[in-house]
Short mmCIF file of all heavy atoms in Angstrom, two decimals:
data_model
loop_
_atom_site.label_atom_id
_atom_site.label_comp_id
_atom_site.label_asym_id
_atom_site.label_seq_id
_atom_site.Cartn_x
_atom_site.Cartn_y
_atom_site.Cartn_z
N ARG N 449 0.96 -13.76 19.65
CA ARG N 449 0.21 -14.86 19.07
C ARG N 449 0.53 -15.07 17.56
O ARG N 449 1.57 -14.44 17.18
CB ARG N 449 -1.32 -14.54 19.10
CG ARG N 449 -1.77 -13.18 18.36
CD ARG N 449 -3.19 -12.94 18.40
NE ARG N 449 -3.47 -11.69 17.79
CZ ARG N 449 -3.64 -11.48 16.46
NH1 ARG N 449 -3.48 -12.47 15.65
NH2 ARG N 449 -3.91 -10.26 16.02
N GLY N 450 -0.08 -15.98 16.96
CA GLY N 450 0.25 -16.25 15.50
C GLY N 450 1.38 -17.06 15.41
O GLY N 450 1.83 -17.88 16.23
N SER N 451 2.09 -16.86 14.22
CA SER N 451 3.26 -17.80 13.89
C SER N 451 4.39 -17.64 14.75
O SER N 451 5.28 -18.47 15.00
CB SER N 451 3.70 -17.54 12.47
OG SER N 451 4.04 -16.24 12.14
N ALA N 452 4.38 -16.45 15.51
CA ALA N 452 5.55 -16.16 16.52
C ALA N 452 5.54 -17.19 17.58
O ALA N 452 6.52 -17.33 18.33
CB ALA N 452 5.43 -14.72 16.99
N ALA N 453 4.43 -17.77 17.83
CA ALA N 453 4.34 -18.81 18.89
C ALA N 453 5.26 -20.01 18.57
O ALA N 453 5.48 -20.82 19.38
CB ALA N 453 2.85 -19.28 19.07
N ASN N 454 5.69 -20.06 17.42
CA ASN N 454 6.68 -21.17 16.98
C ASN N 454 8.10 -20.86 17.35
O ASN N 454 9.02 -21.61 17.03
CB ASN N 454 6.56 -21.46 15.51
CG ASN N 454 5.21 -22.21 15.10
OD1 ASN N 454 5.25 -23.40 15.19
ND2 ASN N 454 4.33 -21.52 14.59
N SER N 455 8.27 -19.64 17.93
CA SER N 455 9.66 -19.30 18.29
C SER N 455 9.98 -19.52 19.72
O SER N 455 9.30 -18.97 20.66
CB SER N 455 9.81 -17.80 17.88
OG SER N 455 11.05 -17.25 18.44
N ALA N 456 11.01 -20.28 20.05
CA ALA N 456 11.58 -20.36 21.38
C ALA N 456 12.18 -19.16 21.88
O ALA N 456 12.06 -18.80 23.03
CB ALA N 456 12.55 -21.47 21.36
N VAL N 457 12.73 -18.33 21.03
CA VAL N 457 13.39 -17.00 21.37
C VAL N 457 12.20 -16.11 21.90
O VAL N 457 12.35 -15.54 23.01
CB VAL N 457 14.06 -16.36 20.27
CG1 VAL N 457 14.37 -14.87 20.64
CG2 VAL N 457 15.32 -17.14 19.92
N CYS N 458 11.02 -16.10 21.16
CA CYS N 458 9.90 -15.29 21.67
C CYS N 458 9.39 -15.77 22.98
O CYS N 458 9.03 -14.98 23.82
CB CYS N 458 8.76 -15.32 20.61
SG CYS N 458 9.17 -14.32 19.11
N TYR N 459 9.42 -17.10 23.24
CA TYR N 459 8.95 -17.53 24.49
C TYR N 459 9.86 -17.12 25.64
O TYR N 459 9.37 -16.66 26.66
CB TYR N 459 8.93 -19.13 24.34
CG TYR N 459 8.67 -19.85 25.76
CD1 TYR N 459 7.32 -19.72 26.33
CD2 TYR N 459 9.55 -20.52 26.53
CE1 TYR N 459 7.00 -20.29 27.47
CE2 TYR N 459 9.23 -21.06 27.63
CZ TYR N 459 8.05 -20.97 28.19
OH TYR N 459 7.66 -21.62 29.39
N VAL N 460 11.18 -17.36 25.51
CA VAL N 460 12.09 -16.93 26.65
C VAL N 460 12.05 -15.45 26.89
O VAL N 460 12.39 -15.07 28.04
CB VAL N 460 13.46 -17.66 26.51
CG1 VAL N 460 13.37 -19.04 26.28
CG2 VAL N 460 14.19 -16.91 25.20
N LEU N 461 11.87 -14.72 25.81
CA LEU N 461 11.85 -13.31 26.10
C LEU N 461 10.47 -12.89 26.72
O LEU N 461 10.31 -11.69 27.03
CB LEU N 461 11.96 -12.49 24.64
CG LEU N 461 13.27 -12.60 23.97
CD1 LEU N 461 13.22 -11.91 22.58
CD2 LEU N 461 14.33 -12.05 24.85
N GLY N 462 9.50 -13.73 26.81
CA GLY N 462 8.26 -13.48 27.39
C GLY N 462 7.23 -12.85 26.39
O GLY N 462 6.15 -12.30 26.84
N ILE N 463 7.48 -12.81 25.12
CA ILE N 463 6.57 -12.34 24.14
C ILE N 463 5.38 -13.22 23.90
O ILE N 463 4.33 -12.93 23.81
CB ILE N 463 7.33 -12.06 22.83
CG1 ILE N 463 8.42 -10.98 23.06
CG2 ILE N 463 6.34 -11.64 21.69
CD1 ILE N 463 9.28 -10.84 21.86
N THR N 464 5.76 -14.60 23.90
CA THR N 464 4.67 -15.62 23.59
C THR N 464 4.68 -16.58 24.83
O THR N 464 5.59 -16.43 25.73
CB THR N 464 4.92 -16.38 22.34
OG1 THR N 464 6.20 -17.01 22.47
CG2 THR N 464 4.81 -15.47 21.19
N ALA N 465 3.72 -17.52 24.87
CA ALA N 465 3.54 -18.34 26.01
C ALA N 465 3.53 -19.86 25.69
O ALA N 465 3.09 -20.75 26.53
CB ALA N 465 2.29 -17.95 26.72
N ILE N 466 4.06 -20.17 24.54
CA ILE N 466 4.06 -21.58 24.10
C ILE N 466 5.50 -22.14 24.41
O ILE N 466 6.47 -21.71 23.84
CB ILE N 466 3.72 -21.75 22.62
CG1 ILE N 466 2.42 -21.01 22.17
CG2 ILE N 466 3.89 -23.22 22.18
CD1 ILE N 466 1.29 -21.73 22.99
N ASP N 467 5.52 -23.13 25.38
CA ASP N 467 6.81 -23.56 25.90
C ASP N 467 7.31 -24.64 24.86
O ASP N 467 6.65 -25.61 24.52
CB ASP N 467 6.50 -24.24 27.14
CG ASP N 467 7.87 -24.83 27.83
OD1 ASP N 467 8.86 -24.85 27.12
OD2 ASP N 467 7.73 -25.16 29.07
N PRO N 468 8.52 -24.33 24.28
CA PRO N 468 9.11 -25.27 23.28
C PRO N 468 9.38 -26.70 23.81
O PRO N 468 9.57 -27.66 23.13
CB PRO N 468 10.37 -24.61 22.79
CG PRO N 468 10.66 -23.63 23.95
CD PRO N 468 9.40 -23.23 24.48
N GLU N 469 9.55 -26.75 25.22
CA GLU N 469 9.84 -28.03 25.80
C GLU N 469 8.68 -28.97 25.83
O GLU N 469 8.80 -30.18 25.74
CB GLU N 469 10.33 -27.87 27.28
CG GLU N 469 10.75 -29.12 27.93
CD GLU N 469 11.14 -28.87 29.36
OE1 GLU N 469 10.73 -27.94 30.02
OE2 GLU N 469 11.87 -29.73 29.97
N ARG N 470 7.54 -28.38 25.84
CA ARG N 470 6.21 -29.13 25.84
C ARG N 470 5.51 -29.23 24.52
O ARG N 470 4.64 -30.02 24.32
CB ARG N 470 5.25 -28.60 26.90
CG ARG N 470 5.77 -28.45 28.25
CD ARG N 470 4.77 -27.80 29.25
NE ARG N 470 5.23 -27.62 30.51
CZ ARG N 470 4.48 -27.12 31.46
NH1 ARG N 470 3.31 -26.67 31.23
NH2 ARG N 470 5.05 -26.94 32.78
N ASN N 471 6.07 -28.46 23.57
CA ASN N 471 5.29 -28.43 22.21
C ASN N 471 6.40 -28.55 21.13
O ASN N 471 7.61 -28.14 21.29
CB ASN N 471 4.57 -27.17 22.07
CG ASN N 471 3.47 -26.97 23.11
OD1 ASN N 471 2.41 -27.33 22.96
ND2 ASN N 471 3.91 -26.27 24.15
N ASP N 472 5.97 -29.25 20.08
CA ASP N 472 6.89 -29.52 18.90
C ASP N 472 6.75 -28.25 18.04
O ASP N 472 5.84 -28.16 17.18
CB ASP N 472 6.51 -30.75 18.26
CG ASP N 472 7.45 -31.12 17.08
OD1 ASP N 472 8.51 -30.48 17.10
OD2 ASP N 472 7.04 -31.89 16.23
N LEU N 473 7.64 -27.35 18.22
CA LEU N 473 7.62 -26.06 17.36
C LEU N 473 8.37 -26.11 16.12
O LEU N 473 9.39 -26.88 16.11
CB LEU N 473 8.05 -24.81 18.25
CG LEU N 473 7.42 -24.70 19.66
CD1 LEU N 473 7.97 -23.39 20.28
CD2 LEU N 473 5.95 -24.54 19.49
N LEU N 474 7.94 -25.48 15.23
CA LEU N 474 8.71 -25.43 13.83
C LEU N 474 9.03 -23.91 13.55
O LEU N 474 8.08 -23.11 13.10
CB LEU N 474 7.80 -25.97 12.70
CG LEU N 474 8.48 -26.03 11.31
CD1 LEU N 474 9.74 -26.80 11.30
CD2 LEU N 474 7.56 -26.56 10.28
N PHE N 475 10.09 -23.48 13.88
CA PHE N 475 10.59 -22.10 13.75
C PHE N 475 10.44 -21.65 12.26
O PHE N 475 10.15 -20.33 12.09
CB PHE N 475 11.94 -21.94 14.25
CG PHE N 475 12.45 -20.45 14.19
CD1 PHE N 475 11.85 -19.61 15.07
CD2 PHE N 475 13.53 -20.05 13.39
CE1 PHE N 475 12.32 -18.24 15.08
CE2 PHE N 475 13.95 -18.74 13.48
CZ PHE N 475 13.36 -17.90 14.23
N GLU N 476 10.67 -22.57 11.42
CA GLU N 476 10.64 -22.12 9.99
C GLU N 476 9.19 -21.72 9.43
O GLU N 476 9.03 -21.08 8.41
CB GLU N 476 11.09 -23.26 9.13
CG GLU N 476 12.64 -23.28 8.97
CD GLU N 476 13.35 -23.72 10.25
OE1 GLU N 476 12.64 -24.27 11.18
OE2 GLU N 476 14.56 -23.48 10.47
N ARG N 477 8.21 -22.00 10.36
CA ARG N 477 6.92 -21.46 9.98
C ARG N 477 6.84 -19.97 10.19
O ARG N 477 6.04 -19.30 9.70
CB ARG N 477 5.81 -22.11 10.79
CG ARG N 477 5.41 -23.56 10.42
CD ARG N 477 4.24 -24.05 11.22
NE ARG N 477 3.11 -23.21 11.12
CZ ARG N 477 2.10 -23.19 11.90
NH1 ARG N 477 2.04 -24.14 12.90
NH2 ARG N 477 0.99 -22.33 11.78
N PHE N 478 7.70 -19.52 11.02
CA PHE N 478 7.69 -18.15 11.44
C PHE N 478 8.88 -17.30 10.73
O PHE N 478 8.61 -16.31 10.12
CB PHE N 478 8.13 -18.08 12.97
CG PHE N 478 8.22 -16.68 13.60
CD1 PHE N 478 7.40 -15.59 13.20
CD2 PHE N 478 9.34 -16.47 14.46
CE1 PHE N 478 7.60 -14.36 13.88
CE2 PHE N 478 9.65 -15.20 15.07
CZ PHE N 478 8.59 -14.21 14.65
N VAL N 479 10.07 -17.86 10.67
CA VAL N 479 11.18 -17.24 9.95
C VAL N 479 11.79 -18.35 9.11
O VAL N 479 12.29 -19.41 9.61
CB VAL N 479 12.24 -16.71 10.84
CG1 VAL N 479 13.43 -16.17 10.17
CG2 VAL N 479 11.63 -15.44 11.68
N SER N 480 11.93 -18.08 7.78
CA SER N 480 12.53 -19.06 6.91
C SER N 480 13.48 -18.42 6.03
O SER N 480 13.20 -17.39 5.27
CB SER N 480 11.38 -19.78 6.07
OG SER N 480 11.99 -20.57 4.99
N GLN N 481 14.66 -18.95 5.84
CA GLN N 481 15.66 -18.34 4.94
C GLN N 481 15.22 -18.55 3.42
O GLN N 481 15.43 -17.76 2.61
CB GLN N 481 17.05 -19.09 5.14
CG GLN N 481 18.14 -18.36 4.48
CD GLN N 481 19.45 -18.87 4.88
OE1 GLN N 481 19.58 -19.76 5.73
NE2 GLN N 481 20.58 -18.38 4.22
N GLU N 482 14.55 -19.69 3.24
CA GLU N 482 14.09 -19.95 1.86
C GLU N 482 13.01 -19.08 1.43
O GLU N 482 12.87 -18.56 0.36
CB GLU N 482 13.65 -21.43 1.72
CG GLU N 482 14.73 -22.52 1.78
CD GLU N 482 15.33 -22.66 3.13
OE1 GLU N 482 14.72 -22.29 4.07
OE2 GLU N 482 16.54 -23.08 3.33
N ARG N 483 12.06 -18.79 2.42
CA ARG N 483 10.83 -17.91 2.16
C ARG N 483 11.28 -16.43 2.02
O ARG N 483 10.69 -15.69 1.30
CB ARG N 483 9.86 -18.18 3.07
CG ARG N 483 8.47 -17.75 2.65
CD ARG N 483 7.40 -18.16 3.51
NE ARG N 483 7.50 -17.72 4.98
CZ ARG N 483 7.72 -18.52 5.97
NH1 ARG N 483 7.79 -19.83 5.79
NH2 ARG N 483 7.91 -18.10 7.22
N ASP N 484 12.29 -16.13 2.87
CA ASP N 484 12.83 -14.83 2.89
C ASP N 484 11.84 -13.67 3.07
O ASP N 484 11.69 -12.74 2.35
CB ASP N 484 13.63 -14.44 1.56
CG ASP N 484 14.44 -13.25 1.53
OD1 ASP N 484 14.74 -12.87 2.76
OD2 ASP N 484 14.93 -12.74 0.53
N GLU N 485 10.93 -13.88 3.97
CA GLU N 485 9.92 -12.93 4.40
C GLU N 485 10.17 -12.46 5.70
O GLU N 485 10.42 -13.21 6.57
CB GLU N 485 8.51 -13.47 4.21
CG GLU N 485 8.07 -13.99 2.90
CD GLU N 485 6.69 -14.65 2.87
OE1 GLU N 485 6.15 -14.75 3.93
OE2 GLU N 485 6.21 -14.93 1.77
#
Side-chain angles (χ1 to χ4, degrees):
R449 58 178 174 82
S451 60
N454 285 280
S455 169
V457 169
C458 284
Y459 173 71
V460 299
L461 291 177
I463 297 172
T464 59
I466 304 298
D467 188 346
E469 185 182 20
R470 301 179 182 179
N471 300 273
D472 186 16
L473 305 183
L474 181 61
F475 184 64
E476 278 68 18
R477 284 186 58 195
F478 176 46
V479 173
S480 170
Q481 191 171 359
E482 289 73 22
R483 197 167 61 244
D484 193 23
E485 294 178 354

